[in-house]
Coordinates of all heavy atoms in Angstrom, one line a residue:
F77 N -11.2 -7.1 6.1 CA -9.9 -7.7 6.2 C -9.0 -7.2 5.1 O -7.9 -6.8 5.3 CB -10.0 -9.2 6.2 CG -8.7 -9.9 6.4 CD1 -8.1 -10.2 7.6 CD2 -8.0 -10.3 5.2 CE1 -7.0 -10.9 7.7 CE2 -6.8 -11.0 5.3 CZ -6.3 -11.3 6.6
M78 N -9.5 -7.3 3.9 CA -8.7 -6.9 2.7 C -8.3 -5.4 2.7 O -7.2 -5.0 2.3 CB -9.4 -7.2 1.4 CG -9.3 -8.7 1.1 SD -7.6 -9.3 0.8 CE -7.1 -8.2 -0.4
E79 N -9.3 -4.6 3.2 CA -9.0 -3.1 3.3 C -7.8 -2.9 4.2 O -6.9 -2.1 3.8 CB -10.2 -2.4 3.8 CG -11.4 -2.3 2.9 CD -12.6 -1.6 3.5 OE1 -12.5 -1.2 4.7 OE2 -13.6 -1.6 2.9
Q80 N -7.7 -3.6 5.3 CA -6.6 -3.4 6.2 C -5.3 -4.0 5.7 O -4.2 -3.5 5.9 CB -7.0 -4.0 7.6 CG -8.3 -3.6 8.2 CD -8.5 -2.1 8.2 OE1 -7.6 -1.4 8.7 NE2 -9.6 -1.6 7.7
V81 N -5.4 -5.2 5.1 CA -4.2 -5.8 4.5 C -3.6 -5.0 3.5 O -2.3 -4.9 3.5 CB -4.6 -7.2 3.9 CG1 -3.5 -7.8 3.0 CG2 -4.9 -8.2 5.0
V82 N -4.3 -4.4 2.6 CA -3.7 -3.5 1.6 C -3.0 -2.3 2.2 O -1.9 -2.0 1.8 CB -4.8 -3.0 0.6 CG1 -4.3 -1.9 -0.3 CG2 -5.4 -4.2 -0.2
R83 N -3.5 -1.8 3.3 CA -2.8 -0.7 4.0 C -1.5 -1.2 4.6 O -0.5 -0.6 4.6 CB -3.7 -0.1 5.1 CG -4.9 0.7 4.4 CD -5.6 1.5 5.5 NE -6.8 2.1 5.0 CZ -8.0 1.7 5.1 NH1 -8.3 0.6 5.8 NH2 -9.0 2.4 4.6
L84 N -1.6 -2.4 5.3 CA -0.4 -2.9 5.9 C 0.6 -3.3 4.9 O 1.8 -3.2 5.2 CB -0.8 -4.2 6.8 CG -1.7 -3.9 8.0 CD1 -2.2 -5.2 8.7 CD2 -0.9 -3.1 9.0
N85 N 0.2 -3.8 3.8 CA 1.2 -4.2 2.7 C 2.1 -3.1 2.3 O 3.2 -3.3 1.8 CB 0.4 -4.8 1.5 CG 1.3 -5.4 0.5 OD1 2.0 -6.4 0.8 ND2 1.3 -4.8 -0.7
E86 N 1.6 -1.8 2.4 CA 2.4 -0.7 2.0 C 3.6 -0.6 2.9 O 4.6 0.1 2.6 CB 1.5 0.6 2.1 CG 0.4 0.6 1.0 CD -0.5 1.8 1.2 OE1 -0.3 2.6 2.2 OE2 -1.4 2.0 0.4
R87 N 3.6 -1.1 4.1 CA 4.7 -1.1 5.1 C 5.6 -2.3 5.0 O 6.5 -2.4 5.8 CB 4.1 -0.9 6.5 CG 3.4 0.4 6.7 CD 2.5 0.4 7.9 NE 3.2 -0.2 9.1 CZ 2.6 -0.5 10.2 NH1 1.3 -0.5 10.3 NH2 3.3 -1.0 11.2
A88 N 5.2 -3.3 4.1 CA 5.9 -4.5 4.0 C 7.2 -4.4 3.2 O 7.4 -3.4 2.6 CB 5.0 -5.6 3.5
P89 N 8.1 -5.4 3.2 CA 9.2 -5.4 2.3 C 8.8 -5.4 0.8 O 7.6 -5.4 0.5 CB 10.0 -6.6 2.7 CG 9.0 -7.5 3.3 CD 8.0 -6.6 4.0
A90 N 9.8 -5.3 -0.1 CA 9.5 -5.1 -1.5 C 8.5 -6.1 -2.0 O 7.7 -5.8 -2.8 CB 10.8 -5.1 -2.2
K91 N 8.7 -7.4 -1.6 CA 7.8 -8.4 -2.2 C 6.5 -8.5 -1.4 O 5.6 -9.3 -1.8 CB 8.5 -9.8 -2.1 CG 9.7 -9.9 -3.2 CD 10.2 -11.3 -3.3 CE 9.2 -12.2 -3.9 NZ 9.7 -13.6 -4.2
G92 N 6.3 -7.8 -0.3 CA 5.0 -7.6 0.3 C 4.6 -8.8 1.2 O 5.4 -9.6 1.6
L93 N 3.3 -8.8 1.6 CA 2.7 -9.8 2.4 C 2.1 -10.9 1.5 O 1.5 -10.6 0.5 CB 1.6 -9.2 3.3 CG 2.0 -8.1 4.3 CD1 0.7 -7.5 4.9 CD2 2.8 -8.7 5.4
E94 N 2.3 -12.1 1.9 CA 1.5 -13.2 1.2 C 0.9 -14.0 2.3 O 1.5 -14.5 3.3 CB 2.5 -14.1 0.4 CG 1.7 -15.2 -0.3 CD 2.5 -15.8 -1.4 OE1 3.5 -15.4 -1.8 OE2 1.9 -16.8 -2.0
L95 N -0.4 -14.2 2.2 CA -1.2 -14.8 3.3 C -2.4 -15.6 2.8 O -2.9 -15.3 1.7 CB -1.6 -13.8 4.3 CG -2.5 -12.7 3.8 CD1 -4.0 -12.9 4.1 CD2 -2.1 -11.3 4.5
S96 N -2.8 -16.5 3.6 CA -4.1 -17.2 3.3 C -4.8 -17.4 4.6 O -4.2 -17.6 5.7 CB -3.8 -18.6 2.7 OG -3.2 -18.5 1.4
I97 N -6.2 -17.4 4.5 CA -7.0 -17.7 5.7 C -7.6 -19.1 5.4 O -8.1 -19.4 4.4 CB -8.2 -16.7 5.8 CG1 -7.6 -15.3 6.0 CG2 -9.1 -17.1 7.0 CD1 -8.7 -14.2 6.2
V98 N -7.4 -20.0 6.4 CA -7.8 -21.4 6.3 C -8.7 -21.8 7.5 O -8.4 -21.4 8.6 CB -6.6 -22.3 6.3 CG1 -7.0 -23.7 6.1 CG2 -5.7 -21.9 5.1
N99 N -9.7 -22.5 7.2 CA -10.6 -23.1 8.3 C -9.9 -24.2 9.0 O -9.3 -25.1 8.4 CB -11.9 -23.6 7.6 CG -13.0 -23.9 8.6 OD1 -12.7 -24.4 9.7 ND2 -14.2 -23.7 8.2
R100 N -10.0 -24.1 10.3 CA -9.2 -25.1 11.2 C -9.5 -26.5 10.8 O -8.6 -27.4 10.9 CB -9.5 -24.9 12.6 CG -8.8 -25.8 13.6 CD -9.0 -25.5 15.0 NE -8.2 -26.3 15.9 CZ -8.1 -26.1 17.2 NH1 -8.7 -25.1 17.7 NH2 -7.3 -26.9 17.9
K101 N -10.7 -26.8 10.4 CA -11.1 -28.2 10.2 C -10.3 -28.9 9.0 O -10.3 -30.1 8.9 CB -12.6 -28.3 9.9 CG -13.1 -27.7 8.6 CD -14.6 -27.8 8.5 CE -15.2 -27.2 7.2 NZ -16.6 -27.4 7.1
Y102 N -9.7 -28.0 8.2 CA -8.9 -28.6 7.1 C -7.4 -28.7 7.5 O -6.6 -29.2 6.6 CB -9.0 -27.7 5.9 CG -10.4 -27.5 5.4 CD1 -11.0 -26.2 5.3 CD2 -11.2 -28.6 5.1 CE1 -12.3 -26.1 4.9 CE2 -12.5 -28.5 4.7 CZ -13.1 -27.2 4.6 OH -14.4 -27.1 4.2
C103 N -7.0 -28.3 8.7 CA -5.6 -28.3 9.1 C -5.2 -29.6 9.8 O -4.1 -30.1 9.7 CB -5.3 -27.1 10.0 SG -5.6 -25.5 9.2
K104 N -6.2 -30.1 10.6 CA -5.9 -31.3 11.4 C -7.2 -32.1 11.6 O -8.0 -31.6 12.4 CB -5.3 -30.9 12.7 CG -4.8 -32.1 13.6 CD -4.1 -31.6 14.8 CE -3.5 -32.7 15.6 NZ -2.8 -32.2 16.8
P105 N -7.4 -33.2 10.9 CA -6.4 -33.9 10.0 C -6.3 -33.0 8.7 O -7.3 -32.4 8.3 CB -7.1 -35.2 9.8 CG -8.5 -35.0 10.0 CD -8.6 -34.0 11.1
F106 N -5.1 -33.1 8.1 CA -4.8 -32.3 7.0 C -5.6 -32.8 5.8 O -5.8 -34.0 5.5 CB -3.3 -32.4 6.7 CG -2.9 -31.7 5.4 CD1 -2.9 -30.4 5.3 CD2 -2.5 -32.5 4.3 CE1 -2.5 -29.7 4.2 CE2 -2.1 -31.8 3.1 CZ -2.1 -30.4 3.1
V107 N -6.2 -31.8 5.0 CA -6.9 -32.1 3.8 C -6.2 -31.5 2.6 O -5.7 -30.4 2.6 CB -8.3 -31.4 3.9 CG1 -9.1 -31.6 2.6 CG2 -9.2 -32.0 5.0
Y108 N -6.1 -32.3 1.5 CA -5.3 -31.9 0.3 C -6.1 -32.3 -0.9 O -6.7 -33.4 -1.0 CB -4.0 -32.7 0.3 CG -3.1 -32.3 -0.8 CD1 -2.3 -31.1 -0.7 CD2 -3.0 -33.1 -2.0 CE1 -1.5 -30.7 -1.8 CE2 -2.2 -32.7 -3.0 CZ -1.5 -31.5 -2.9 OH -0.6 -31.1 -4.0
P109 N -6.1 -31.3 -1.9 CA -5.6 -29.9 -1.8 C -6.4 -29.2 -0.8 O -7.6 -29.4 -0.6 CB -5.9 -29.4 -3.2 CG -6.0 -30.6 -4.1 CD -6.7 -31.7 -3.2
T110 N -5.8 -28.3 -0.1 CA -6.4 -27.6 1.1 C -7.3 -26.5 0.7 O -6.9 -25.5 0.0 CB -5.3 -27.1 2.0 OG1 -4.3 -28.1 2.2 CG2 -5.8 -26.7 3.3
P111 N -8.6 -26.5 1.1 CA -9.5 -25.4 0.9 C -9.0 -24.1 1.7 O -8.4 -24.3 2.8 CB -10.8 -25.9 1.5 CG -10.7 -27.4 1.5 CD -9.2 -27.6 1.8
Y112 N -9.2 -23.0 1.1 CA -8.9 -21.7 1.8 C -10.0 -20.7 1.7 O -10.8 -20.8 0.7 CB -7.5 -21.1 1.3 CG -7.6 -20.7 -0.2 CD1 -7.9 -19.4 -0.5 CD2 -7.4 -21.6 -1.2 CE1 -7.9 -19.0 -1.9 CE2 -7.4 -21.2 -2.5 CZ -7.7 -19.9 -2.9 OH -7.8 -19.5 -4.2
E113 N -10.1 -19.8 2.6 CA -11.2 -18.8 2.7 C -10.8 -17.6 1.9 O -11.7 -16.9 1.4 CB -11.4 -18.5 4.2 CG -12.0 -19.6 5.0 CD -13.5 -19.8 4.7 OE1 -14.2 -18.7 4.7 OE2 -13.9 -20.9 4.5
L114 N -9.6 -17.2 1.9 CA -9.1 -16.0 1.3 C -7.6 -16.0 1.1 O -6.9 -16.6 1.9 CB -9.5 -14.8 2.1 CG -9.3 -13.4 1.5 CD1 -10.1 -13.2 0.3 CD2 -9.5 -12.3 2.6
H115 N -7.2 -15.5 0.0 CA -5.7 -15.4 -0.3 C -5.3 -14.0 -0.7 O -6.1 -13.3 -1.4 CB -5.3 -16.4 -1.3 CG -3.8 -16.3 -1.7 ND1 -2.8 -16.8 -0.9 CD2 -3.2 -15.8 -2.8 CE1 -1.7 -16.6 -1.4 NE2 -1.9 -16.0 -2.6
F116 N -4.1 -13.6 -0.4 CA -3.6 -12.3 -0.9 C -2.1 -12.4 -1.1 O -1.4 -12.9 -0.3 CB -3.9 -11.1 0.1 CG -3.2 -9.8 -0.3 CD1 -3.7 -9.1 -1.4 CD2 -2.0 -9.4 0.3 CE1 -3.1 -7.9 -1.8 CE2 -1.4 -8.3 -0.1 CZ -1.9 -7.5 -1.2
S117 N -1.7 -11.8 -2.2 CA -0.3 -11.5 -2.4 C -0.3 -10.3 -3.3 O -1.3 -10.0 -4.0 CB 0.5 -12.6 -3.0 OG 0.2 -12.7 -4.4
P118 N 0.8 -9.5 -3.4 CA 0.9 -8.3 -4.2 C 0.6 -8.6 -5.7 O 0.2 -7.7 -6.4 CB 2.3 -7.8 -4.0 CG 2.7 -8.2 -2.6 CD 2.0 -9.6 -2.5
V119 N 0.8 -9.9 -6.1 CA 0.5 -10.3 -7.5 C -1.0 -10.0 -7.8 O -1.4 -9.7 -8.9 CB 0.8 -11.8 -7.7 CG1 0.3 -12.2 -9.0 CG2 2.3 -12.0 -7.6
H120 N -1.8 -10.2 -6.8 CA -3.3 -10.0 -7.0 C -3.8 -8.6 -6.6 O -5.0 -8.4 -6.6 CB -4.0 -11.1 -6.1 CG -3.6 -12.5 -6.4 ND1 -3.7 -13.0 -7.6 CD2 -3.0 -13.4 -5.6 CE1 -3.2 -14.3 -7.6 NE2 -2.8 -14.5 -6.4
L121 N -2.9 -7.7 -6.2 CA -3.4 -6.4 -5.7 C -4.2 -5.7 -6.8 O -5.3 -5.1 -6.5 CB -2.2 -5.6 -5.4 CG -2.5 -4.2 -4.8 CD1 -3.4 -4.2 -3.6 CD2 -1.2 -3.4 -4.5

Side-chain angles (χ1 to χ4, degrees):
F77 179 86
M78 283 299 304
E79 289 174 5
Q80 309 309 310
V81 165
V82 169
R83 293 191 182 99
L84 291 171
N85 188 63
E86 295 174 355
R87 296 162 49 194
K91 291 191 68 176
L93 298 171
E94 180 161 356
L95 60 96
S96 294
I97 300 178
V98 182
N99 191 321
R100 181 177 185 168
K101 68 181 180 181
Y102 302 124
C103 300
K104 189 177 184 179
F106 176 70
V107 174
Y108 184 80
T110 312
Y112 65 96
E113 292 283 311
L114 185 66
H115 176 76
F116 172 78
S117 77
V119 172
H120 304 298
L121 180 59

